[in-house]
Short mmCIF file of all heavy atoms in Angstrom, two decimals:
data_model
loop_
_atom_site.label_atom_id
_atom_site.label_comp_id
_atom_site.label_asym_id
_atom_site.label_seq_id
_atom_site.Cartn_x
_atom_site.Cartn_y
_atom_site.Cartn_z
N GLY A 18 9.89 -5.14 -7.85
CA GLY A 18 8.82 -4.60 -8.67
C GLY A 18 8.41 -5.47 -9.83
O GLY A 18 8.29 -4.98 -10.96
N ASP A 82 23.64 14.54 8.90
CA ASP A 82 23.13 15.89 9.14
C ASP A 82 21.88 16.18 8.34
O ASP A 82 21.52 17.35 8.13
CB ASP A 82 24.21 16.93 8.81
CG ASP A 82 25.44 16.77 9.68
OD1 ASP A 82 25.27 16.55 10.89
OD2 ASP A 82 26.57 16.87 9.14
N VAL A 100 8.62 -1.88 13.81
CA VAL A 100 9.14 -3.11 13.23
C VAL A 100 8.34 -3.50 11.97
O VAL A 100 8.91 -3.81 10.92
CB VAL A 100 9.07 -4.27 14.26
CG1 VAL A 100 9.44 -5.58 13.62
CG2 VAL A 100 9.99 -3.96 15.43
N ALA A 113 13.94 10.31 0.47
CA ALA A 113 13.96 11.71 0.94
C ALA A 113 15.35 12.15 1.38
O ALA A 113 15.49 13.30 1.81
CB ALA A 113 12.97 11.86 2.09
N ASP A 135 -1.15 11.95 21.99
CA ASP A 135 -0.23 12.41 23.04
C ASP A 135 1.18 11.93 22.78
O ASP A 135 2.16 12.69 22.95
CB ASP A 135 -0.71 11.89 24.40
CG ASP A 135 -2.02 12.52 24.85
OD1 ASP A 135 -2.40 13.59 24.32
OD2 ASP A 135 -2.67 11.94 25.75
N ALA A 140 6.75 12.96 20.78
CA ALA A 140 7.87 12.72 19.87
C ALA A 140 8.27 13.99 19.14
O ALA A 140 9.48 14.28 18.96
CB ALA A 140 7.51 11.62 18.88
N ASP A 146 13.15 19.78 21.23
CA ASP A 146 13.99 19.96 22.41
C ASP A 146 15.42 19.47 22.15
O ASP A 146 16.36 19.94 22.79
CB ASP A 146 13.41 19.21 23.61
CG ASP A 146 12.11 19.83 24.12
OD1 ASP A 146 11.81 20.99 23.73
OD2 ASP A 146 11.38 19.16 24.87
N ALA A 161 -3.84 4.94 9.37
CA ALA A 161 -4.08 5.61 10.65
C ALA A 161 -2.94 6.55 11.00
O ALA A 161 -3.15 7.62 11.58
CB ALA A 161 -4.29 4.58 11.76
N ARG A 175 -2.24 23.91 18.59
CA ARG A 175 -2.98 24.24 19.81
C ARG A 175 -2.06 24.65 20.94
O ARG A 175 -2.33 25.58 21.70
CB ARG A 175 -3.83 23.03 20.23
CG ARG A 175 -4.56 23.15 21.55
CD ARG A 175 -4.91 21.77 22.10
NE ARG A 175 -3.70 21.02 22.43
CZ ARG A 175 -3.68 19.69 22.61
NH1 ARG A 175 -4.79 18.97 22.48
NH2 ARG A 175 -2.54 19.07 22.94
N MET A 180 5.46 24.99 13.51
CA MET A 180 5.10 23.96 12.56
C MET A 180 6.35 23.43 11.85
O MET A 180 7.30 24.15 11.61
CB MET A 180 4.14 24.53 11.51
CG MET A 180 2.73 24.79 12.01
SD MET A 180 1.80 23.26 12.39
CE MET A 180 1.94 23.23 14.20
N ALA A 183 6.61 20.34 6.50
CA ALA A 183 5.61 19.72 5.65
C ALA A 183 5.12 18.42 6.29
O ALA A 183 5.65 18.00 7.33
CB ALA A 183 6.22 19.40 4.28
N SER A 188 -2.22 7.28 1.94
CA SER A 188 -3.55 6.68 2.16
C SER A 188 -4.09 7.00 3.56
O SER A 188 -4.46 6.10 4.32
CB SER A 188 -3.48 5.15 1.99
OG SER A 188 -3.12 4.78 0.70
N THR A 199 -17.13 6.51 -0.68
CA THR A 199 -16.31 5.51 -1.32
C THR A 199 -16.26 4.20 -0.55
O THR A 199 -15.73 3.21 -1.06
CB THR A 199 -14.87 6.03 -1.54
OG1 THR A 199 -14.40 6.69 -0.37
CG2 THR A 199 -14.84 6.99 -2.72
N GLN A 212 -15.97 -1.72 5.34
CA GLN A 212 -16.55 -0.71 6.23
C GLN A 212 -16.81 -1.26 7.62
O GLN A 212 -16.54 -0.60 8.62
CB GLN A 212 -17.84 -0.16 5.61
CG GLN A 212 -18.41 1.04 6.36
CD GLN A 212 -19.61 1.65 5.68
OE1 GLN A 212 -20.35 0.98 4.97
NE2 GLN A 212 -19.79 2.96 5.83
N ASP A 230 -14.28 14.41 16.69
CA ASP A 230 -13.23 15.19 17.36
C ASP A 230 -12.08 15.38 16.35
O ASP A 230 -11.57 14.39 15.81
CB ASP A 230 -12.73 14.45 18.59
CG ASP A 230 -11.78 15.27 19.44
OD1 ASP A 230 -10.86 15.92 18.88
OD2 ASP A 230 -11.91 15.24 20.68
N SER A 234 -10.42 12.72 13.97
CA SER A 234 -10.79 12.83 12.55
C SER A 234 -10.48 14.23 12.07
O SER A 234 -11.32 15.14 12.14
CB SER A 234 -12.31 12.56 12.39
OG SER A 234 -12.64 11.24 12.78
N GLY A 251 -4.86 5.71 -3.38
CA GLY A 251 -5.17 4.89 -4.53
C GLY A 251 -6.61 5.08 -4.98
O GLY A 251 -7.51 5.30 -4.15
N ASP A 258 -12.24 8.90 -0.38
CA ASP A 258 -12.94 10.12 0.04
C ASP A 258 -12.29 10.78 1.25
O ASP A 258 -12.37 12.01 1.39
CB ASP A 258 -14.42 9.82 0.32
CG ASP A 258 -15.29 9.95 -0.92
OD1 ASP A 258 -14.81 10.42 -1.95
OD2 ASP A 258 -16.49 9.56 -0.82
N ARG A 261 -9.72 12.92 -0.41
CA ARG A 261 -10.30 14.04 -1.15
C ARG A 261 -10.91 15.07 -0.21
O ARG A 261 -10.79 16.29 -0.45
CB ARG A 261 -11.32 13.50 -2.15
CG ARG A 261 -10.70 12.69 -3.26
CD ARG A 261 -11.61 12.42 -4.43
NE ARG A 261 -12.73 11.56 -4.11
CZ ARG A 261 -13.31 10.73 -5.03
NH1 ARG A 261 -12.84 10.67 -6.27
NH2 ARG A 261 -14.35 9.98 -4.71
N LEU A 276 -2.68 16.68 -3.85
CA LEU A 276 -3.38 15.41 -3.79
C LEU A 276 -3.02 14.60 -5.03
O LEU A 276 -3.22 15.05 -6.15
CB LEU A 276 -4.89 15.63 -3.71
CG LEU A 276 -5.75 14.36 -3.84
CD1 LEU A 276 -5.50 13.41 -2.67
CD2 LEU A 276 -7.22 14.72 -3.96
N ASP A 301 9.43 7.42 -4.19
CA ASP A 301 10.40 8.35 -4.77
C ASP A 301 9.77 9.74 -4.97
O ASP A 301 10.42 10.76 -4.73
CB ASP A 301 10.90 7.81 -6.11
CG ASP A 301 11.89 6.67 -5.96
OD1 ASP A 301 12.45 6.51 -4.87
OD2 ASP A 301 12.07 5.92 -6.96
N ARG A 309 12.03 19.04 -1.82
CA ARG A 309 11.70 20.39 -2.32
C ARG A 309 11.19 21.28 -1.19
O ARG A 309 11.49 22.49 -1.16
CB ARG A 309 10.66 20.29 -3.43
CG ARG A 309 11.19 19.71 -4.74
CD ARG A 309 10.25 19.98 -5.90
NE ARG A 309 8.92 19.40 -5.70
CZ ARG A 309 8.57 18.17 -6.04
NH1 ARG A 309 9.48 17.36 -6.58
NH2 ARG A 309 7.35 17.74 -5.86
N GLU A 315 14.89 26.28 3.49
CA GLU A 315 16.27 26.76 3.60
C GLU A 315 16.45 28.04 2.79
O GLU A 315 17.14 28.97 3.26
CB GLU A 315 17.22 25.68 3.11
CG GLU A 315 18.70 26.04 3.27
CD GLU A 315 19.10 26.25 4.72
OE1 GLU A 315 18.49 25.65 5.61
OE2 GLU A 315 20.03 27.06 4.92
#
Side-chain angles (χ1 to χ4, degrees):
D82 298 317
V100 173
D135 292 342
D146 291 345
R175 175 201 65 196
M180 287 291 102
S188 297
T199 45
Q212 188 174 29
D230 188 316
S234 297
D258 271 351
R261 292 193 294 210
L276 172 64
D301 285 341
R309 290 196 300 272
E315 184 61 29

